[in-house]
Amino acid sequence: MEREGRDVNDEAQRLREENEMLLEQMLILQKKLSNFQKESRHDGVGKEKAIREKVGNGKKSLVKSEISFAKANSLFESGNYEAAEKVYRDLAKKKPDYEFVVSSFIDRCLLLKAEMESNKLTPSISRKEKVGKVFCNEESGWAAVITMYKRQDYLAEQLFAIKNQSIPPKQIVVIQNENHMEIDKFLLEKYEVKLIRSSINSLYFRWIVGYLLDANYICVFDDDVIPGSRWIESCIYSCEKYNALIGPSGRRAAPFNEDRAWKSIENLSKDTYELCDWVCNSYFFKKDWIKYITQYPRYENTQKTFDDIQLATSLKMCGGVNTIVPPQSDKKSEWNGHIKREYGHDEHALWKRQASDHADERRRMIQKLDSSGYSWV
């Protein structure tokens, strides 16, 4: 009995020691977890602050904590495409939901690696960069381009909404296609607008005007679009994060669908980013991407709106640029890019006046792209 009592006491002592050791380990793990959470929050705040410092003083950030491409992007910018590709692939494995975004970055890495290996471009790229720096201006911010044809009723409201963005524009340019109306000089002076009158009625012209403006980003607006007050703030964040063309309304191609050759994407979520094949209504992109836009001849010299499809497909094929519709909460939200969508249903709407021809001709363009091997979302 005495021996059994000693065995019980020894076992109890062993369990107490083991319990104390486990408690100590738990305390260490809890401390590590607490420190990790603090660091994560600090990093998140730091990134958000960095974005705000880069684009201007915004208000509350649109997006919470999400995947970061900083390391991969840094390797890419330094020309280490092989290492960048590896990091992008690791990101795709860890975050399957973001594979559609990462794949575009991987394609860029593969393209540039192939060019360097097959054409031995390293010396010429170096010279190209040196020459490019001669022309480089230290630019920041964004500039607005508005295309007008026969609408003028919405111009005052549109200029007010653009000028009063949480990140105001550095410049505003209005392109007047043909001479169907007289633009109020008071508005031009009040909002410091530069006016370009063109007798060439081509929607392709508006992408190129951004080359003349002193800003890193360009946002081209249709003449019926009224953006919410924080739309540009959202665009800059989304464009940088996803390397993407941004718009308030998107389309996904369905080349051989009997009803419609595309599906409309109106993203009224609070935190979901929708990948699309092209966007409509307004078009936010980096000025540097204009070099990709001009690599193909325009599809047709016509007033038909093929230009939005060609914009997105050219950016994707030549620059590996995605097309994204960011979260816009609701139809009248400050984050929404088009809070007066009813304006696009007036008598001047091309899609409405020539609905049948408009849809059929766009369908043919989409089917031609499909036959060429273009990869839709």
Side-chain angles (χ1 to χ4, degrees):
M1 289 292 292
E2 184 179 349
R3 182 177 177 181
E4 289 179 3
R6 282 199 304 270
D7 289 343
V8 170
N9 290 335
D10 290 345
E11 180 66 13
Q13 179 63 26
R14 187 185 66 78
L15 290 172
R16 279 195 295 269
E17 290 175 357
E18 186 175 340
N19 186 52
E20 288 174 1
M21 185 173 64
L22 289 171
L23 286 172
E24 186 176 350
Q25 289 177 342
M26 285 177 64
L27 288 172
I28 292 171
L29 289 172
Q30 285 178 345
K31 187 174 181 180
K32 285 184 177 180
L33 178 60
S34 177
N35 290 337
F36 176 76
Q37 289 174 335
K38 286 179 181 177
E39 289 174 3
S40 297
R41 286 195 295 270
H42 177 75
D43 289 346
V45 171
K47 289 172 186 173
E48 182 176 311
K49 183 179 178 183
I51 290 169
R52 288 198 180 139
E53 286 176 350
K54 184 174 182 181
V55 302
N57 293 322
K59 299 180 183 178
K60 182 180 178 183
S61 175
L62 174 67
V63 181
K64 300 177 182 178
S65 59
E66 288 187 352
I67 179 174
S68 170
F69 300 100
K71 181 180 178 181
N73 288 345
S74 176
L75 289 168
F76 181 87
E77 292 298 331
S78 67
N80 194 344
Y81 305 125
E82 188 169 353
E85 179 194 349
K86 183 179 183 304
V87 178
Y88 286 133
R89 291 189 185 280
D90 290 342
L91 285 169
K93 290 177 183 176
K94 291 178 181 178
K95 297 282 186 179
D97 291 345
Y98 288 85
E99 186 175 357
F100 69 83
V101 175
V102 178
S103 63
S104 178
F105 287 82
I106 292 172
D107 288 344
R108 288 196 296 161
C109 290
L110 293 173
L111 176 66
L112 291 171
K113 277 172 58 183
E115 286 182 350
M116 291 181 68
E117 291 170 3
S118 62
N119 300 324
K120 298 180 181 178
L121 289 179
T122 305
S124 61
I125 285 176
S126 178
R127 287 195 296 272
K128 181 180 177 182
E129 289 175 348
K130 288 178 181 178
V131 173
K133 286 179 180 178
V134 175
F135 303 116
C136 181
N137 298 313
E138 291 297 326
E139 299 167 349
S140 61
W142 70 285
V145 177
I146 304 170
T147 51
M148 302 192 69
Y149 181 53
K150 291 184 177 181
R151 289 189 181 107
Q152 60 180 345
D153 296 344
Y154 314 135
L155 182 59
E157 187 178 359
Q158 188 175 39
L159 289 172
F160 179 85
I162 290 172
K163 195 73 171 181
N164 287 279
Q165 288 290 302
S166 58
I167 302 172
K170 291 189 67 179
Q171 292 175 288
I172 302 176
V173 172
V174 169
I175 303 173
Q176 183 177 353
N177 282 324
E178 300 182 349
N179 191 27
H180 295 285
M181 59 189 180
E182 188 65 33
I183 297 177
D184 191 340
K185 291 182 180 179
F186 170 77
L187 289 177
L188 300 180
E189 292 174 2
K190 179 180 179 179
Y191 293 104
E192 300 176 303
V193 176
K194 302 297 183 183
L195 178 62
I196 298 175
R197 288 190 176 93
S198 174
S199 59
I200 301 174
N201 189 348
S202 173
L203 289 168
Y204 294 90
F205 178 50
R206 55 186 178 167
W207 314 135
I208 315 304
V209 169
Y211 179 75
L212 306 175
L213 307 182
D214 299 325
N216 285 334
Y217 307 97
I218 307 299
C219 192
V220 176
F221 294 93
D222 290 346
D223 54 13
D224 59 337
V225 174
I226 312 296
S229 62
R230 302 181 72 178
W231 170 244
I232 294 299
E233 184 180 344
S234 172
C235 285
I236 293 174
Y237 182 91
S238 306
C239 179
E240 285 291 338
K241 186 172 182 63
Y242 296 109
N243 192 60
L245 166 70
I246 309 298
S249 182
R251 303 288 184 266
R252 289 183 184 146
F256 301 101
N257 187 304
E258 293 182 2
D259 297 325
R260 288 200 70 120
W262 61 86
K263 177 184 178 182
S264 297
I265 305 297
E266 308 297 337
N267 188 4
L268 299 180
S269 70
K270 293 185 178 180
D271 54 14
T272 301
Y273 289 80
E274 295 287 351
L275 183 72
C276 296
D277 289 310
W278 69 92
V279 289
C280 306
N281 308 130
S282 72
Y283 313 83
F284 185 95
F285 53 88
K286 294 181 182 180
K287 185 172 80 171
D288 188 50
W289 293 345
I290 292 172
K291 63 190 177 188
Y292 302 132
I293 297 169
T294 58
Q295 287 192 30
Y296 293 129
R298 65 186 184 277
Y299 176 64
E300 285 187 9
N301 186 18
T302 169
Q303 294 181 36
K304 303 294 184 185
T305 54
F306 301 117
D307 64 310
D308 52 2
I309 301 176
Q310 182 161 353
L311 171 68
T313 51
S314 298
L315 289 178
K316 183 177 178 180
M317 293 303 298
C318 300
V321 177
N322 295 299
T323 299
I324 294 283
V325 177
Q328 296 170 79
S329 297
D330 60 64
K331 291 182 179 180
K332 301 299 179 182
S333 167
E334 60 186 351
W335 298 108
N336 200 298
H338 193 4
I339 60 176
K340 297 290 183 70
R341 294 180 187 245
E342 61 273 17
Y343 287 179
H345 293 257
D346 63 12
E347 68 276 13
H348 299 301
L350 181 62
W351 66 268
K352 193 174 181 180
R353 287 187 290 110
Q354 303 175 22
S356 179
D357 290 344
H358 175 83
D360 287 344
E361 291 184 25
R362 285 169 75 87
R363 179 194 296 273
R364 282 193 288 274
M365 181 189 191
I366 292 165
Q367 290 176 346
K368 287 178 182 179
L369 282 166
D370 189 82
S371 298
S372 75
Y374 184 79
S375 298
W376 304 104
V377 172

